């Protein structure tokens, strides 16, 4: 990329912010006033990351450079990048808001997200790094039919990426509209343009360093916020919990489970989706190919688990501290939530918060650090979304260019230059699609999309990945049918759940009180407890029933695959063609 081109992109990205400032300042739109500090800090971040993208573009010459940064990322760096890829705005703002609203029970998401990492570290990291090259489909198709398995893996990856990306884009629009005073569509377009710039020109190298910078900023900001909040309680968690129990509308109930997910079956299903979905997310699995060897892959998961675990501890502190500290700051609440003397009405602590519970961390940042720290956290929240969507887009583009184009359409006959060109075109198309869908879904409840993304990853990707590595009798037919069965059952069961059937599509039923309430055709909100067993059962059944010539090749190739899994030495999927 030329120097002039880079500056052209930079200027183009600044234009939306200039356009947006005028209506916000004149008060002609219903949105927050422009947070100048936040925008300045965000501009510094954008300038730094675009500089990194320019540097990375000079180093991105081969397919390996584009997809995996040439395998030159260290375990420590990759651990930070994985953490940056995984710690989304939903984690930072959503989990702290859940803890604020439901107390101890808000940790179900933190624990569900976190426990997936030991599974990856001890069960999969080394094997994935030794078997794969660019994408997780390289692993699942190592000894199987390329066309069938890569098509299935690419389809499931693109579905996961699509739902995850839409949720991130809508979240970006709403968040930036509130924090920066920008129009919704401008926020979505800005995120889309920046994401496309990082991926198209810098590939995995630029994406990795954007994620590392974002992880350092987020961990630093959350550490300061939690530390400043704890300082109010003389660094005594017991005192913080004691005051939170006194102030909370539900009292002692915030220290016990059951307030967020009351049904044990739904709780187990959600936990399964979060745990095994983490081990099946394509943009996370792709990061194992950016390190030089299996040892660094294990090391990167070890570091990532530490960073992510520490981060979730911070969100727990932030959520509980906010119960006490925000209640002492009436300016963060709606007028109807305030008593005659200006204090916050106890029963309005949760429902009366301006901007809803997703703004808990942002409001606490202002309460403990003033406007300067508020600007920093706001900019970090935007940076968080940028890093996540860049990783998602690169994973989606890789599925199209490497798995579908290079190995299915061209059948291995394409050259690296053409493959990179296809990947960049795919990135552009995914970026435009993400912007369009982000704008189209503005008024929809997209919370179910993140849950669906994890459920699909847990139901379609994880079973095929694990069985392909550890089960010698698995065949191409079993993998393909099992993967698609997990994909379709996860999507279908989600559609007929209350989250979509009732809340989105509007189907209702009259309850005992005579009130019409949203309902689903099944009592589950998350389908993982059904869809994961369906996938494993179909893999088992159609593999053991398969007596084709292809199945004999699949089973015979397992011994060579195990050698490569354990040593990293062996033929590059020689049996799979």
């Amino acid at each position: 990329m030329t120097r002039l081109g880079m500056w052209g992109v930079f200027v183009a990205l600044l234009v939306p912010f200039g356009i947006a400032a005028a209506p916000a300042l004149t008060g002609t739109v219903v949105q927050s006033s422009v947070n100048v500090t936040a925008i300045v800090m965000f501009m510094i971040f954008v300038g730094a990351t675009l500089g990194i993208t320019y540097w990375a573009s000079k180093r991105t010459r081969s397919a390996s450079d584009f997809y995996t940064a040439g395998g030159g990322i260290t375990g420590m760096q990759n651990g930070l990048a994985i953490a940056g890829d995984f710690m989304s705005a939903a984690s930072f703002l959503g989990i702290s808001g859940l803890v604020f609203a439901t107390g101890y029970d808000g940790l179900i998401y933190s624990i569900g997200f976190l426990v997936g990492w030991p599974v990856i570290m001890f069960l999969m990291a080394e094997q994935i790094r030794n078997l794969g090259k660019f994408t997780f489909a390289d692993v699942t198709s190592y000894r199987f039919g390329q066309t069938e398995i890569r098509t299935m893996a690419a389809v499931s990856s693109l579905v996961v990426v699509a739902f995850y990306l839409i949720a991130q884009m809508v979240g970006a629009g709403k968040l930036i509209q509130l924090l920066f005073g920008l129009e919704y569509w401008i926020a979505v377009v800005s995120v889309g343009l920046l994401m496309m710039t990082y991926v198209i020109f810098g590939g995995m190298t630029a994406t990795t360093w954007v994620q590392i910078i974002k992880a350092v900023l987020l961990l630093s900001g959350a550490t300061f916020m939690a530390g400043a909040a704890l300082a109010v309680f003389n660094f005594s968690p017991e005192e913080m919990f004691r005051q939170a129990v006194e102030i909370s509308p539900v009292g002692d109930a915030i220290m016990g489970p059951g307030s967020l997910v009351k049904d044990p079956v739904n709780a187990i299903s959600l936990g399964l989706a979060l745990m095994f979905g983490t081990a099946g997310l394509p943009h996370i699995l792709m990061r194992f190919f950016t390190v030089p060897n299996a040892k660094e892959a294990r090391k990167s998961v070890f570091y990532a688990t530490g960073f992510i675990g520490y981060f979730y501890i911070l969100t727990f502190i932030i959520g509980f501290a906010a119960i006490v500290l925000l209640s002492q700051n009436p300016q963060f609440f709606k007028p109807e939530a305030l008593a005659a003397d200006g204090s916050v009405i106890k029963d309005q602590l949760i429902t009366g918060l301006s901007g809803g519970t997703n703004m808990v961390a942002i409001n606490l940042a202002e309460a403990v650090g003033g406007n300067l720290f508020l600007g920093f956290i706001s900019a970090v929240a935007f940076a968080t979304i940028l890093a996540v969507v860049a990783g998602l887009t690169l994973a989606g583009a890789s599925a199209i260019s490497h798995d579908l184009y290079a190995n299915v359409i061209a059948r291995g006959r394409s050259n690296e230059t053409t493959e990179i060109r296809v990947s960049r075109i795919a990135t552009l198309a995914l970026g435009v699609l993400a912007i369009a869908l982000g704008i189209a879904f503005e008024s929809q409840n997209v919370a179910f999309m993140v849950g669906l993304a994890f459920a699909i990853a847990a139901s379609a990707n994880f079973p095929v990945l694990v069985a392909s590595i550890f089960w010698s009798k698995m065949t191409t037919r079993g993998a393909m049918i099992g993967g698609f069965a997990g994909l379709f059952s996860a999507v279908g069961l989600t559609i007929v759940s209350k989250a979509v059937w009732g809340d989105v599509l509007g189907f209702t039923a009259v309850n005992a009180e005579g009130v019409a309430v949203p309902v689903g055709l099944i009592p589950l909100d998350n389908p993982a407890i059904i869809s994961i067993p369906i996938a494993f059962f179909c893999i088992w059944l159609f593999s053991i029933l398969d007596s084709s010539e292809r199945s004999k090749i699949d089973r015979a190739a397992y011994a060579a695959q195990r050698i490569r899994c354990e040593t990293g030495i062996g033929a590059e999927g020689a049996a799979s063609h």
Side-chain angles (χ1 to χ4, degrees), residues 190-261:
S190 299
V191 171
L193 288 175
L194 281 167
M195 165 260 290
M196 286 187 280
T197 302
Y198 297 146
V199 177
I200 289 174
F201 298 112
M204 180 58 86
T205 303
T207 301
T208 295
W209 284 101
V210 169
Q211 290 163 344
I212 289 173
I213 293 172
K214 165 260 171 133
V216 171
L217 291 175
L218 182 58
L219 289 170
S220 301
T223 298
F224 176 82
M225 191 190 306
L230 276 176
V232 177
F233 307 100
N234 295 316
F235 296 98
S236 171
E238 292 85 357
E239 179 62 20
M240 177 182 70
F241 294 139
R242 186 190 65 78
Q243 292 191 33
V245 168
E246 288 182 357
I247 292 171
S248 173
V250 296
D252 290 335
I254 66 168
M255 298 304 295
S259 57
L260 181 62
V261 184

Side-chain angles (χ1 to χ4, degrees), residues 543-557:
S543 290
I544 62 171
L545 294 179
D546 189 359
S547 58
S548 64
E549 289 300 315
R550 176 72 242 186
S551 69
K552 297 174 184 176
I553 298 173
D554 298 337
R555 295 179 180 121

Side-chain angles (χ1 to χ4, degrees), residues 515-538:
V515 180
V517 294
V519 295
L521 297 182
I522 60 172
L524 288 174
D525 292 326
N526 191 291
I529 198 170
I530 298 176
S531 55
I532 293 176
I534 286 175
F536 275 113
F537 176 76
C538 288

Side-chain angles (χ1 to χ4, degrees), residues 75-416:
M76 174 72 167
Q77 292 168 344
N78 200 44
L80 268 173
I82 290 173
D85 216 351
F86 193 73
M87 296 183 306
S88 66
S91 295
F92 178 46
L93 303 178
I95 293 178
S96 57
L98 278 176
V99 173
F100 175 84
T102 64
Y104 175 87
D105 219 30
L107 279 180
I108 188 171
Y109 279 91
S110 298
I111 295 170
F113 287 138
L114 187 60
V115 295
W117 290 102
V119 173
I120 297 174
M121 182 164 63
F122 295 113
L123 195 65
M124 298 165 60
E126 185 172 349
Q127 286 83 357
I128 290 174
R129 178 61 188 85
N130 284 339
L131 283 176
K133 187 177 181 183
F134 295 148
T135 68
F136 91 95
D138 291 336
V139 180
T140 56
S141 66
Y142 185 85
R143 61 187 170 100
F144 302 121
Q146 297 288 294
T147 300
E148 301 94 326
I149 302 305
R150 285 190 183 274
T151 300
M152 183 278 299
V155 169
S156 65
S157 293
L158 288 170
V159 173
V160 171
V161 167
F163 283 110
Y164 215 136
L165 203 53
I166 292 172
Q168 292 294 326
M169 296 299 283
V170 174
K174 294 296 185 183
L175 179 65
I176 306 311
Q177 183 182 33
L178 189 60
L179 297 182
F180 290 79
L182 303 182
E183 296 276 6
Y184 174 83
W185 71 268
I186 292 176
V188 172
V189 170
S190 299
V191 171
L193 288 175
L194 281 167
M195 165 260 290
M196 286 187 280
T197 302
Y198 297 146
V199 177
I200 289 174
F201 298 112
M204 180 58 86
T205 303
T207 301
T208 295
W209 284 101
V210 169
Q211 290 163 344
I212 289 173
I213 293 172
K214 165 260 171 133
V216 171
L217 291 175
L218 182 58
L219 289 170
S220 301
T223 298
F224 176 82
M225 191 190 306
L230 276 176
V232 177
F233 307 100
N234 295 316
F235 296 98
S236 171
E238 292 85 357
E239 179 62 20
M240 177 182 70
F241 294 139
R242 186 190 65 78
Q243 292 191 33
V245 168
E246 288 182 357
I247 292 171
S248 173
V250 296
D252 290 335
I254 66 168
M255 298 304 295
S259 57
L260 181 62
V261 184
K262 297 180 174 63
D263 179 1
V265 176
N266 266 308
I268 294 171
S269 189
L270 174 62
L272 289 172
L274 298 179
M275 179 170 64
F276 295 123
T278 299
L281 292 174
H283 64 297
I284 297 297
L285 296 173
M286 194 174 177
R287 294 227 56 91
F288 294 120
F289 310 121
T290 63
V291 291
N293 52 54
K295 179 182 178 182
E296 291 297 311
R298 285 196 309 273
K299 197 182 296 183
S300 64
V301 181
F302 174 77
Y303 283 122
T305 305
F307 291 134
I308 294 168
Y310 172 67
F311 171 74
Y312 285 138
I313 292 173
L314 296 179
T315 60
F316 186 60
I317 294 171
I318 289 169
F320 267 102
I323 295 174
V324 179
L325 299 183
L326 294 188
S327 68
Q328 300 169 359
N329 289 271
Q331 69 268 26
F332 298 127
F333 291 83
K334 302 170 187 175
E336 57 268 26
L338 304 179
D341 61 356
S343 62
V344 179
I345 300 172
K346 189 172 184 177
D347 290 341
Q348 294 291 318
L349 180 67
I350 297 167
T351 57
L353 192 66
S354 297
T357 55
N358 283 336
M359 290 300 293
V360 164
I362 302 299
N363 290 336
L364 185 62
E366 185 175 2
V368 301
N371 191 60
L372 183 64
F373 188 56
L374 169 65
F376 174 79
I377 290 296
S378 300
V380 167
F382 204 170
T384 295
I385 293 171
L386 283 175
V388 174
V389 297
L392 286 166
T393 305
L394 185 56
S398 301
I400 293 171
S401 61
H402 180 65
D403 296 325
L404 290 180
Y405 172 76
N407 287 284
V408 175
I409 298 173
R411 295 185 179 274
R413 294 188 294 270
S414 66
N415 57 51
E416 287 194 348

Side-chain angles (χ1 to χ4, degrees), residues 468-492:
S468 69
I469 294 173
F470 296 105
W471 191 36
S472 63
K473 296 181 181 179
M474 181 177 175
T475 67
T476 297
R477 184 181 298 169
M480 184 181 68
I481 295 176
F484 277 122
L487 170 64
F488 291 132
S489 62
V491 174

